[in-house]
């Protein structure tokens, strides 16, 4: 049996559109960490000299963007796992070994991104958590659901307990010296000096939480896997009543959870925990409800011709999700470095940069896919996964083979 990616006609447009939408949110979420050493900053990652407009942007990000889009990508990772495994299995391909190799390549991409470009990489976490999915491929749906809900509820219960930790027990030590070292390294430092700072001070903060992050994303993997296994994306029309019920439930929860963020931030509602910890807890909880709300909203929007006309502009970006995710980091790092923006720019500028870069990615992705079958990172990923050279260039302007 010939080993090859699936045909382009087998792609599910809604998934590409949702991925494209999620990429915009990911860029908005990541932009502050490209501009400031936020892991060392007090007051939820805001510099002391922030403007009033920056404070409002931060609040709106917390309410509608922060923690709302990595959840979407986590869900979609589970969807992609099922589609990859099911299609490979139906073609009598060695699906387990292929997916294992696919994860190994993703892990290499992620570790390279983490070490050499930016400490906030999520690819390596997805790769590590992805190996656990292999344990569930042939499990019964009730088993998958049980694990997904148990992990999700367990992790959110821990978050609830954190709200009861008194503020003085969880106070953050003064990090002003590290803030200045970060600004010096990323503003004037050489490549080696920036690498040394990342390895010495940033990654050691990130890695101890790796297990916690894996447990946070894995239930979302399972929910995405279960949705794809049931055919929600392949036969969406059959599930419209259920999708509408989830939409209403997610909206109802969000109406409660999202307003809690400003209520806590402005001290109207108080908890024993510090304001920043309490805010982050409700940011996380609202991230789960808005993740479901955003996904179901997009699925319902795809049923309308007007919605399809709007969302089709996001599909090329979503088809090149890996390339665009990595290129966002590269582009922003270059712009920040050349413009000497690190540690001095506000969130308003970051918002503008995000919108400009994403608009450029829409145009670039559309052009690229008109001439090539895959994004550059996706092409390399496929070649290494299948262990063979996969042609990238389109032939004769006809739609060629590609992978989901």
């Amino acid at each position: 049996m010939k080993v090859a990616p699936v045909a382009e006609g087998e792609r599910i447009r809604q998934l590409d559109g949702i991925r494209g939408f999620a990429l915009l949110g990911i860029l908005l979420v990541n932009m502050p960490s490209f501009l400031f050493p936020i892991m060392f900053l007090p007051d939820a990652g805001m510099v002391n000299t922030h403007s009033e407009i920056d404070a409002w942007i931060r609040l709106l990000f917390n309410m509608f963007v922060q923690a709302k889009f990595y959840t979407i990508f986590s869900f979609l990772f589970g969807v992609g796992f099922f589609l990859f495994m099911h299609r490979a299995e139906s073609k009598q391909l060695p699906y387990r070994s292929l997916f294992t190799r696919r994860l190994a390549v993703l892990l290499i991409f992620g570790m390279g991104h983490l070490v050499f470009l930016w400490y906030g990489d999520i690819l390596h976490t997805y790769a590590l958590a992805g190996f656990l999915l292999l344990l569930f491929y042939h499990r019964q749906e009730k088993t998958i659901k049980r694990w997904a809900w148990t992990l999700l509820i367990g992790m959110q219960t821990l978050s609830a307990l954190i709200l009861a930790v008194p503020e003085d027990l969880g106070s953050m030590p003064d990090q002003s010296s590290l803030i200045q070292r970060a600004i010096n390294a990323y503003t004037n430092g050489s490549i080696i000096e920036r690498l040394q700072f990342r390895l010495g001070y940033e990654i050691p903060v990130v890695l101890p939480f790796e297990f916690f992050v894996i447990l946070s994303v894995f239930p979302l993997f399972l929910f995405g896997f279960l949705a794809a296994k049931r055919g929600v994306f392949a036969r969406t029309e059959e599930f419209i009543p259920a999708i509408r019920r989830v939409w209403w439930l997610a909206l109802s929860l969000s109406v409660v959870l999202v307003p809690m963020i400003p209520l806590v931030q402005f001290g109207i509602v108080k908890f024993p925990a510090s304001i920043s910890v309490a805010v982050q807890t409700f940011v996380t909880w609202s991230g789960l409800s808005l993740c479901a709300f955003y996904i179901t909203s997009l699925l319902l929007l795809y049923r309308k011709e007007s919605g399809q006309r709007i969302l089709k502009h996001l599909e090329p970006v979503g088809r090149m999700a890996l390339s665009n995710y990595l290129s966002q980091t590269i582009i922003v790092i270059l712009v920040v470095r050349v413009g000497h923006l690190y540690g001095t720019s506000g969130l308003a500028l970051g918002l503008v940069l995000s919108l400009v870069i994403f608009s450029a990615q829409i145009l670039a992705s559309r052009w690229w896919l008109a001439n090539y079958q895959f994004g550059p990172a996706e092409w390399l990923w496929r070649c290494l996964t299948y262990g063979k050279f996969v042609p990238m260039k389109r032939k004769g302007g006809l739609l060629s083979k590609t992978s989901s």
Side-chain angles (χ1 to χ4, degrees):
M1 176 73 64
K2 183 179 179 181
V3 178
V6 300
E8 183 166 347
E10 296 180 54
R11 294 193 68 89
I12 300 175
R13 287 182 56 196
Q14 296 97 313
L15 294 179
D16 290 329
I18 296 171
R19 284 192 191 99
F21 173 73
L23 272 169
L24 172 59
I26 291 294
L27 179 57
L28 290 171
V29 168
N30 292 341
M31 183 60 72
S33 64
F34 291 133
L35 295 175
F36 316 114
I38 62 171
M39 68 164 55
F40 307 122
L41 292 177
D43 192 20
M46 294 291 290
V47 294
N48 294 330
T49 57
H50 68 269
S51 65
E52 184 175 352
I53 190 172
D54 286 338
W56 283 106
I57 291 174
R58 178 74 269 172
L59 176 60
L60 291 174
F61 273 25
N62 283 340
M63 294 174 68
F64 301 107
V65 182
Q66 189 75 30
K68 281 67 175 177
F69 290 91
Y70 86 86
T71 48
I72 296 178
F73 260 118
S74 301
F75 181 88
L76 293 179
F77 192 93
V79 174
F81 164 73
F82 173 78
L83 295 178
F84 183 94
M85 297 286 281
H86 179 69
R87 288 166 175 170
E89 184 180 25
S90 66
K91 296 178 181 180
Q92 298 181 335
L93 300 177
Y95 54 92
R96 287 188 176 276
S97 61
L98 282 176
F99 190 73
T100 299
R101 193 184 306 167
R102 181 178 176 85
L103 290 176
V105 176
L106 185 64
L107 181 60
I108 294 172
F109 280 151
M111 292 305 298
H113 188 220
L114 173 71
V115 172
F116 296 106
L117 291 175
W118 178 54
Y119 69 85
D121 171 78
I122 194 64
L123 299 179
H124 73 285
T125 302
Y126 281 4
L128 293 173
F131 286 107
L132 298 176
L133 280 172
L134 291 168
L135 302 174
F136 288 85
Y137 181 58
H138 285 302
R139 304 296 291 271
Q140 294 182 353
E141 288 188 6
K142 63 180 182 180
T143 302
I144 300 169
K145 186 190 301 184
R146 187 183 305 119
W147 273 92
W149 279 112
T150 299
L151 288 172
L152 184 68
I153 294 173
M155 294 302 295
Q156 304 321 309
T157 300
L158 288 177
S159 296
L161 293 176
I162 293 175
L163 288 175
V165 177
E167 180 176 0
D168 54 351
L169 295 180
S171 59
M172 186 176 180
D174 179 57
Q175 305 269 24
S176 56
S177 62
L178 277 177
I179 293 171
Q180 191 55 53
R181 292 183 71 168
I183 293 174
N184 292 338
Y186 287 113
T187 301
N188 303 311
S190 64
I191 293 177
I192 298 299
E193 288 171 332
R194 296 198 298 273
L195 180 62
Q196 287 175 336
F197 183 84
R198 193 175 307 115
L199 292 173
Y201 297 100
E202 292 177 334
I203 293 180
V205 174
V206 172
L207 291 184
F209 295 96
E210 191 70 34
F211 182 69
F212 176 84
V213 177
I214 289 175
L215 290 181
S216 297
V217 302
F218 190 66
L220 298 171
F221 284 11
L222 292 177
F223 282 120
F225 169 44
L226 186 60
K229 186 179 179 70
R230 290 180 172 177
V232 171
F233 297 96
R235 305 185 310 277
T236 304
E237 284 300 315
E238 298 178 18
F239 294 88
I240 291 302
I243 291 172
R244 284 202 176 103
R245 287 195 296 271
V246 173
W247 186 89
W248 279 110
L249 177 60
L251 176 61
S252 301
L253 290 173
S254 298
V255 166
V256 175
L257 294 172
V258 172
M260 284 296 294
I261 297 171
L263 290 176
V264 171
Q265 181 168 319
F266 294 126
I268 300 173
V269 176
K270 297 181 179 181
F271 294 90
S274 67
I275 289 178
S276 60
V277 169
V279 165
Q280 187 56 48
T281 300
F282 283 99
V283 166
T284 300
W285 287 347
S286 63
L288 294 170
S289 63
L290 281 180
C291 166
F293 177 76
Y294 288 155
I295 291 175
T296 51
S297 295
L298 292 171
L299 288 175
L300 293 173
L301 193 58
Y302 258 108
R303 301 181 71 228
K304 304 178 181 294
E305 289 188 11
S306 58
Q308 292 181 25
R309 285 196 298 270
I310 295 172
L311 296 173
K312 73 177 182 180
H313 299 294
L314 299 176
E315 292 170 16
V317 183
R319 285 183 59 184
M320 295 175 53
L322 179 60
S323 295
N324 283 316
Y325 172 74
L326 294 173
S327 65
Q328 285 175 356
T329 301
I330 295 171
I331 292 169
V332 176
I333 286 176
L334 290 175
V335 170
V336 170
R337 179 72 172 181
V338 172
H340 299 285
L341 302 178
Y342 192 83
T344 62
S345 304
L347 291 181
L349 177 60
L351 175 59
V352 172
L353 280 176
S354 297
L355 296 177
V356 170
I357 290 171
F358 189 76
S359 298
Q361 287 187 316
I362 291 177
L363 298 175
S365 298
R366 184 187 304 167
W367 175 85
W368 184 275
L369 291 174
N371 296 278
Y372 301 95
Q373 301 184 68
F374 317 103
E378 286 76 11
W379 172 79
L380 180 59
W381 195 11
R382 283 156 178 76
C383 289
L384 295 175
T385 295
Y386 291 100
K388 58 175 290 186
F389 178 81
V390 179
M392 181 189 286
K393 184 78 174 176
R394 290 192 180 277
K395 296 182 180 179
L398 297 176
L399 292 179
S400 305
K401 300 223 173 198
T402 189
S403 165
S404 65

